[in-house]
Amino acid sequence: MEYAENILGTIGNTPLVKLNKLVEELPCLVLAKYETFNPGNSVKDRMAVKMIEDAEADGRLKPGGTIIEGTSGNTGMGLALAAVVKGYKTICVISDKQSKEKMDILRAVGSKVVVCPTNVDPEDPKSYYSTSKRLAEETPNSWYVNQYDNLSNTAAHYESTGPEIWKQTDGKVTHFLVGVGTGGTISGVGKYLKEQNPNIKVWGIDTYGSVFKKYHETGIFDENEIYPYITEGIGEDIIPKNVNFDVIDGFTKVTDKDAAIYTQKLAKLEGMFLGNSAGAAIKGLLQLKDQFKKDDVVVVLFHDHGSRYVGKMFNDEWMRDRGFIEDKLTSAQDVINNHLDKPLITVKTEELVSHAIERMKAYKISQIPVEDSSGFVGAVDEADLLRKYIENKDISNLPIKEVMHKPFPIVSKNTPIEAISKLFDRDNNAVLVKLSNDEYQIITKYDIISVL
Ligand SMILES: Cc1ncc(COP(=O)(O)O)c(C=O)c1O
């Protein structure tokens, strides 16, 4: 009989899988180290168990203890699985940027989940770094894992992931590429592979909003490089002890948009349903194409599974909201399709300015067409009203006809967006679109900017 003693016995020995369509433009063999075959569906199972075993061995983790960690989800999953098998409790501290699926999954395997804001400094008491440390101080018989600075993280990859890649490629691997977060994967695998063959090149995939690339190239920790980003799992606003810059030959940065689009492409072109950092990794690999020659064997490691991103990179509405999917909008009709359910707000010539202002506030709009029985005869907008208010403080009691400016141009629904954009100038912020004899919609400068 062949079986594992428990689920932890199935960690590691993941397959290498050839990439095909997505890497057609590259001259070399590209192989994916496919880490979703681990029981927690990510590479992090490897280091989670190693960190626990090392802590058990030297007494930092005691029987019945509580494991506390700040985690983007995958390490938490690995820790939680091991905790279930070994009889510990887990508390995972997670940033609110992470997908809801990741939080639900952690709860499913018995972990308590504490959610912290993303956009605060690491030193802020609310940050997920500070919260994890505080919980560890307050919870009796607890152990704070700290995957960033805990070198058992790198050791796990030095002992298992690196040797597997070397053996599976029969020592022919020439390049290793991987997304960098704590740095454990790149540093452990990189060190092992370079010890076998110092000519192997190791590249890190970084993201815009993270400090790694600049720090590696200049030694400068540039705070200006730090800003919020969407890509999950990679990039940092700190330099974790697990990042060993000596084994890294270079970094390439991938945008949030490219990482998201390539996450979808991996599923659609290769049948590889993977997480967001896999999208970043494959796009980073394509960005580095000039580095590769015909006989090279390039290994790219994919960290986690697509199921954790179904509400995000695999949700077209989410992608569209962030401008990651560009719908082909060419005419007035395409633009107003977004607000057809909303009525056109107008004001009559005899109404007072105060009525127009109330309507602007109620509907959160900045301009209103003015009509009388003959049709549209003028328009008011907030900038114009403000200018007139400065001249005359009693403006709110004046009838609209006394303050309105020329009416918005009227276009047909088939008018191209380029033609509409030419109608905007300093005095004109909107156009009206004629849908039928008595039905109109409005397109504002803002609508056109969002489309562009
Ligand atoms: C999805 C995902 N990708 C990439 C990484 C980065 O791996 P490492 O922390 O080993 O640098 C992580 C871990 O933080 C991750 O969860």
Side-chain angles (χ1 to χ4, degrees):
M1 288 195 286
E2 206 182 325
Y3 58 87
E5 283 302 322
N6 58 53
I7 195 67
L8 305 184
T10 68
I11 295 173
N13 291 314
T14 53
L16 267 189
V17 187
K18 183 173 178 276
L19 279 147
N20 296 290
K21 295 199 188 99
L22 255 177
V23 294
E24 263 167 2
E25 60 184 288
L26 300 188
C28 53
L29 177 64
V30 180
L31 302 171
K33 182 67 171 158
Y34 213 91
E35 289 297 306
T36 64
F37 279 82
N38 286 305
N41 295 133
S42 98
V43 73
K44 296 283 184 160
D45 291 353
R46 297 174 185 263
M47 50 75 99
V49 172
K50 171 78 179 156
M51 290 190 299
I52 287 179
E53 287 176 353
D54 287 355
E56 285 173 332
D58 63 19
R60 280 171 293 156
L61 178 59
K62 297 182 189 65
T66 300
I67 299 169
I68 299 180
E69 180 59 328
T71 163
S72 63
N74 292 322
T75 301
M77 181 65 172
L79 290 169
L81 290 184
V84 168
V85 172
K86 290 167 169 282
Y88 301 110
K89 295 186 264 311
T90 40
I91 303 178
C92 290
V93 182
I94 191 164
S95 68
D96 57 6
K97 158 179 125 169
Q98 304 301 327
S99 56
K100 185 174 171 301
E101 291 85 345
K102 281 186 180 172
M103 301 177 195
D104 289 343
I105 288 166
L106 287 173
R107 292 188 186 104
V109 285
S111 177
K112 193 172 160 200
V113 175
V114 177
V115 182
C116 294
T118 310
N119 299 334
V120 293
D121 288 338
E123 301 76 36
D124 188 299
K126 294 194 290 298
S127 82
Y128 96 125
Y129 307 104
S130 313
T131 307
S132 319
K133 281 190 199 141
R134 180 177 53 74
L135 284 171
E137 280 156 18
E138 288 170 0
T139 312
N141 193 17
S142 65
W143 166 57
Y144 173 43
V145 182
N146 189 7
Q147 58 173 322
Y148 294 93
D149 297 333
N150 184 329
L151 297 179
S152 302
N153 173 1
T154 294
H157 297 291
Y158 179 80
E159 288 169 13
S160 72
T161 327
E164 284 175 30
I165 293 171
W166 181 252
K167 192 158 166 270
Q168 285 170 304
T169 59
D170 208 10
K172 294 195 176 74
V173 54
T174 56
H175 295 76
F176 176 65
L177 279 90
V178 68
V180 183
T182 67
T185 316
I186 196 164
S187 304
V189 174
K191 181 166 186 286
Y192 182 85
L193 292 181
K194 283 193 182 238
E195 280 174 6
Q196 312 313 305
N197 173 1
N199 295 324
I200 293 174
K201 296 279 177 259
V202 174
W203 280 87
I205 311 299
D206 195 12
T207 185
Y208 289 87
S210 156
V211 293
F212 288 143
K213 183 170 190 287
K214 181 153 186 187
Y215 188 78
H216 180 253
E217 288 167 4
T218 64
I220 297 168
F221 181 88
D222 186 353
E223 303 244 343
N224 294 317
E225 295 268 303
I226 301 170
Y227 48 84
Y229 55 87
I230 292 170
T231 303
E232 290 187 36
I234 64 170
E236 286 303 337
D237 50 5
I238 53 168
I239 303 288
K241 288 207 178 86
N242 272 301
V243 186
N244 177 358
F245 288 96
D246 293 344
V247 300
I248 301 172
D249 292 283
F251 282 92
T252 184
K253 283 195 178 207
V254 175
T255 63
D256 286 335
K257 178 174 178 178
D258 281 342
I261 289 173
Y262 276 80
T263 306
Q264 288 200 347
K265 283 193 182 194
L266 273 167
K268 291 189 177 132
L269 296 178
E270 300 283 351
M272 296 183 175
F273 184 47
L274 296 164
N276 190 206
S277 66
I282 192 67
K283 179 59 170 57
L285 182 134
L286 294 171
Q287 285 172 194
L288 293 170
K289 70 175 177 193
D290 294 342
Q291 300 282 326
F292 310 127
K293 297 186 300 299
K294 185 169 155 289
D295 294 326
D296 286 344
V297 176
V298 179
V299 174
V300 55
L301 186 141
F302 292 148
H303 277 86
D304 70 345
H305 196 251
S307 56
R308 292 174 193 172
Y309 305 83
V310 285
K312 291 186 151 188
M313 292 76 195
F314 293 108
N315 177 322
D316 281 351
E317 214 171 300
W318 184 94
M319 293 283 281
R320 198 169 282 120
D321 282 349
R322 281 151 195 83
F324 293 170
I325 294 184
E326 284 153 22
D327 293 319
K328 266 209 156 27
L329 301 183
T330 58
S331 69
Q333 178 77 63
D334 296 329
V335 181
I336 56 175
N337 279 347
N338 290 335
H339 47 79
L340 273 182
D341 53 328
K342 297 190 187 111
L344 175 67
I345 308 300
T346 61
V347 61
K348 298 243 160 56
T349 45
E350 301 309 318
E351 285 188 88
L352 302 183
V353 170
S354 58
H355 297 148
I357 292 173
E358 263 163 38
R359 236 157 278 168
M360 284 184 190
K361 278 210 287 207
Y363 293 96
K364 295 192 174 62
I365 52 179
S366 305
Q367 56 278 303
I368 304 189
V370 181
E371 56 182 348
D372 67 9
S373 52
S374 67
F376 294 104
V377 291
V380 283
D381 67 67
E382 58 185 3
D384 191 43
L385 287 183
L386 182 65
R387 255 194 314 272
K388 288 183 172 134
Y389 171 78
I390 288 165
E391 286 159 21
N392 174 7
K393 302 276 185 297
D394 296 328
I395 184 178
S396 58
N397 295 327
L398 294 178
I400 288 289
K401 67 179 176 210
E402 287 185 26
V403 300
M404 69 188 190
H405 57 71
K406 68 178 168 59
F408 297 133
I410 295 178
V411 299
S412 80
K413 55 188 175 191
N414 300 323
T415 312
I417 287 177
E418 291 77 33
I420 295 174
S421 64
K422 288 189 187 130
L423 297 172
F424 295 130
D425 56 32
R426 222 176 70 87
D427 302 320
N428 185 45
N429 287 325
V431 298
L432 290 171
V433 184
K434 185 167 183 171
L435 301 177
S436 65
N437 272 348
D438 55 358
E439 218 189 333
Y440 291 81
Q441 268 289 351
I442 191 164
I443 293 180
T444 65
K445 221 184 240 180
Y446 176 75
D447 290 330
I448 296 291
I449 290 169
S450 10
V451 165
L452 294 178

